[in-house]
Amino acid sequence: MRRWLPLLAISLSTFMLLVDLTIVSVAAPAIAGDLHSSFAALQWTVDLYVLVLAALMMAAGSISDLLGQRRVFVAGLVIFAVASLACAMAPDTAVLIAARGVQGLGAAAMYATNAALLGSTYTGRDRSVAFGVWGAANGAAAAAGPILGGLLTEHVGWPAIFLVNLPVAAVAVVIAMRAINESRGSNGGRVDLPGTATFTLAATLVVYGLIRAGEHGWTDPVTAGVLLAGAATAVAFVLVERSHAHPMIDLSLFRQRSFSALMLAGAALTASAFAHLVFVSLWAQSVAGLSPMMAGLALTPLAAVAFVVAGAGGRLLHNVAPRHSIGWGLLLVGAGTSLGMLLGPDSGWSVLIPSLCLTGLGVGLASPVLASAALTAAPPHRTGMANAAMNTFRQLGYAIALPLLATVSAGQAEGVLARSGSFADPGAAAKQLTGGAYPHLLAQVPTGTRPAAEHVLRSAYAAGLDATFLLSGIIALIAGGVVLALVRSSSAPSEPATNFAPRSVSP
């Protein structure tokens, strides 16, 4: 039994860091009420965590080769736990956002070393079992995040969604120190600091520009300046990587159409299947009147279907070319999210069940194959880099999609409110509405006109959500078509025992 203790510690860490990707979405209304946060600020509580995780994952892997993978893994656990405590005790939104960024640093250290530690700890059949269990932990996190977030928020309070990390991290640290042997990689621990810095800055500027666009509009000079600066920094990143002896990502990999298409697929999958769930959760609690717990349960059909399909697909679709699993999976995600447009002003949460189930079907087909397909598309000496790149693109897709969908949603809602003439400042009202302030806006309306105002607000919210569903569907459909057109059909997924690729269905 002792031989499975390392697997327990690594699976606990993976479950914990992936749950924190989605757990905040259900608690967002409670956090906003307690800390008097705007929706733009709440976006940063999700986005900064994901940005830091994506930007530092490859650098953390290089550092672990130099300092030791167990040492970096344990350091990540400690950092994550301390940051979680800071999140729970945050007196205002600024502190919460900063603590979430530090959480992302700890998550990057854990996620970058998880697969390597499993690979160095287990061999033969035990390795296959270990990666299977680890993949299940990935999938379970997608389902558990909203439910756990709703349960803790409703019955304990939103700080509990962060405090629950402390005992989990403590158990994982004790097990890691006693049961996991130290190991190092073979690349000499070279860290591409210029590449890491320019990549992080470019991603942060782009996300900040998108969030600011939602607050101040696309014509705002600062918004335009930030987005241009982000584009310029992205160009600088490319130049740095081309000239660096040991780049964070070998840009020559993108000359292969299969590899480029798969990176697009990874980003598009999280952008289209998961980012819009933040807005669905806000709608479920503010308009549909669900409790945090029920709002979390309302989102579980997607994760549950994805988990079942991913598990069955690993056996039934083993000989199917990855481009078909990924391409058709993305097309199903596109159809599923588009089906969410059935939601109308008077709809209840149940209208989204077909959309969530169909989207989950697509996620279950596409997600488990992405990492192994990326490894197959890369040269053997670049498989580690390819795996890290796929993880990075998946998180980056989510981070960029969230503010983009927020801008689209608020813009569509503003149009409905402006045409109704019910609000003096439809732009400000739309931002509050799509940020979950429906009850607050309705309470400000005189009693005599409240029924009409309620219909207008519900119509505006539904229009905003429909816009996010439509854009998410378009992203997935385009990415699915690109994969079917460009990824080589001869590629076959590699075995987990050699590529360390989890069967993940989470962002």
Side-chain angles (χ1 to χ4, degrees):
M1 191 65 191
R2 178 180 171 79
R3 76 178 189 272
W4 298 116
L5 288 177
L7 173 61
L8 175 61
I10 294 167
S11 296
L12 282 174
S13 74
T14 303
F15 182 86
M16 181 173 62
L17 73 89
L18 290 179
V19 160
D20 269 51
L21 286 169
T22 56
I23 198 170
V24 175
S25 62
V26 177
I31 295 174
D34 281 1
L35 300 184
H36 308 290
S37 304
S38 67
F39 183 62
L42 285 180
Q43 286 182 70
W44 277 114
T45 64
V46 177
D47 259 337
L48 191 59
Y49 176 79
V50 180
L51 270 176
V52 175
L53 171 59
L56 299 184
M57 203 179 314
M58 285 189 274
S62 297
I63 293 172
S64 72
D65 290 337
L66 177 64
L67 300 180
Q69 289 158 351
R70 186 189 70 168
R71 184 173 297 168
V72 171
F73 173 71
V74 171
L77 282 166
V78 173
I79 291 170
F80 194 89
V82 172
S84 296
L85 179 61
C87 288
M89 299 177 66
D92 53 47
T93 311
V95 174
L96 177 60
I97 292 171
R100 285 284 284 172
V102 179
Q103 261 194 323
L105 171 61
M110 290 186 287
Y111 211 28
T113 52
N114 277 346
L117 286 172
L118 286 177
S120 64
T121 302
Y122 298 102
T123 58
R125 180 176 177 80
D126 284 353
R127 181 181 288 181
S128 297
V129 172
F131 275 99
V133 173
W134 185 50
N138 279 256
I147 298 174
L148 186 60
L151 178 66
L152 292 173
T153 300
E154 184 173 342
H155 296 289
V156 184
W158 68 263
I161 69 173
F162 301 112
L163 292 175
V164 72
N165 293 329
L166 302 184
V168 176
V171 170
V173 167
V174 171
I175 294 175
M177 294 303 295
R178 294 186 176 184
I180 299 178
N181 295 323
E182 187 59 275
S183 61
R184 286 176 170 81
S186 58
N187 72 352
R190 304 178 183 94
V191 182
D192 178 12
L193 292 178
T196 301
T198 51
F199 179 83
T200 304
L201 181 58
T204 303
L205 287 171
V206 169
V207 170
Y208 174 65
L210 292 173
I211 290 177
R212 186 175 176 88
E215 288 287 294
H216 302 279
W218 294 100
T219 58
D220 174 61
V222 176
T223 298
V226 170
L227 289 174
L228 286 174
T233 310
V235 173
F237 167 73
V238 172
L239 296 176
V240 165
E241 295 302 277
R242 291 181 63 181
S243 61
H244 202 281
H246 304 286
M248 182 172 75
I249 177 69
D250 184 354
L251 297 180
S252 66
L253 291 172
F254 291 93
R255 296 173 187 166
Q256 303 176 44
R257 64 181 192 178
S258 289
F259 186 84
S260 296
L262 290 168
M263 293 301 110
L264 172 65
L269 182 67
T270 53
S272 59
F274 295 102
H276 70 280
L277 296 181
V278 174
F279 309 97
V280 174
S281 176
L282 289 170
W283 170 85
Q285 294 181 64
S286 65
V287 176
L290 299 184
S291 66
M293 178 64 185
M294 289 304 299
L297 287 172
L299 298 179
T300 55
L302 190 158
V305 171
F307 187 62
V308 172
V309 172
R315 294 184 293 273
L316 300 178
L317 302 177
H318 180 73
N319 295 321
V320 175
R323 79 181 186 104
H324 291 298
S325 296
I326 299 168
W328 288 104
L330 281 166
L331 293 180
L332 286 170
V333 170
T337 52
S338 299
L339 194 61
M341 295 175 66
L342 292 173
L343 185 142
D346 301 316
S347 297
W349 69 271
S350 59
V351 74
L352 295 176
I353 291 177
S355 170
L356 293 169
C357 289
L358 189 57
T359 301
L361 176 60
V363 171
L365 287 175
S367 186
V369 189
L370 271 170
S372 54
L375 297 179
T376 305
H381 67 287
R382 293 299 194 194
T383 53
M385 184 178 287
N387 188 47
M390 175 56 73
N391 287 332
T392 297
F393 269 80
R394 289 177 70 147
Q395 306 307 331
L396 197 59
Y398 185 89
I400 292 176
L402 185 60
L404 182 61
L405 293 179
T407 301
V408 169
S409 177
Q412 194 70 18
E414 180 181 354
V416 175
L417 295 178
R419 288 191 294 273
S420 72
S422 302
F423 294 87
D425 188 347
K431 293 181 181 67
Q432 294 181 59
L433 176 65
T434 55
Y438 168 81
H440 174 72
L441 286 170
L442 191 60
Q444 293 179 334
V445 176
T447 306
T449 60
R450 191 163 295 175
E454 182 177 6
H455 179 74
V456 169
L457 288 171
R458 284 177 171 270
S459 297
Y461 213 137
L465 270 182
D466 286 349
T468 68
F469 290 131
L470 177 60
L471 181 56
S472 298
I474 291 172
I475 291 171
L477 291 172
I478 291 175
V482 169
V483 168
L484 290 173
L486 299 184
V487 175
R488 295 194 305 270
S489 59
S490 58
S491 299
S494 304
E495 291 298 326
T498 58
N499 67 30
F500 310 151
R503 294 180 179 274
S504 170
V505 297
S506 61

